Amino acid sequence: MKTGLTDELIREALDPTRNAQSKKTIGGSNSEEVSRQLNRLQANLDRDNGILESRIGQLKNAKEELERKVAEAIA
């Protein structure tokens, strides 16, 4: 059976790098899409770290306030 596939077309189809770069959909393996995903994840991490630092500061302040009030109550 004869097909229109050449050796070159078959090599291109089996090339893992070329295959990965051809996936240009959201969540695909194209390098631009992977970079977009990584940038978005980094932005989410930065946001979450900011929230975490704020909450840690709030807890520290609450602990200091509690210790001050306990010391006043004991005195």
Side-chain angles (χ1 to χ4, degrees):
M1 178 175 180
K2 185 84 170 155
T3 69
L5 296 176
T6 64
D7 287 347
E8 181 62 25
L9 285 174
I10 293 171
R11 271 194 291 283
E12 287 178 9
L14 296 175
D15 181 326
T17 302
R18 189 178 189 105
N19 191 300
Q21 291 303 317
S22 71
K23 309 276 192 281
K24 295 185 179 185
T25 60
I26 293 175
S29 55
N30 179 276
S31 60
E32 291 175 14
E33 175 59 13
V34 170
S35 292
R36 185 196 67 78
Q37 293 173 58
L38 290 173
N39 289 337
R40 184 171 182 181
L41 289 170
Q42 186 62 57
N44 289 345
L45 282 173
D46 293 344
R47 181 201 65 218
D48 292 349
N49 281 333
I51 292 169
L52 180 59
E53 287 178 25
S54 174
R55 289 184 179 170
I56 289 171
Q58 291 170 344
L59 287 170
K60 181 182 174 195
N61 291 339
K63 180 183 176 193
E64 291 170 357
E65 176 77 10
L66 177 62
E67 289 172 347
R68 185 181 60 76
K69 287 188 178 191
V70 167
E72 287 176 3
I74 293 174

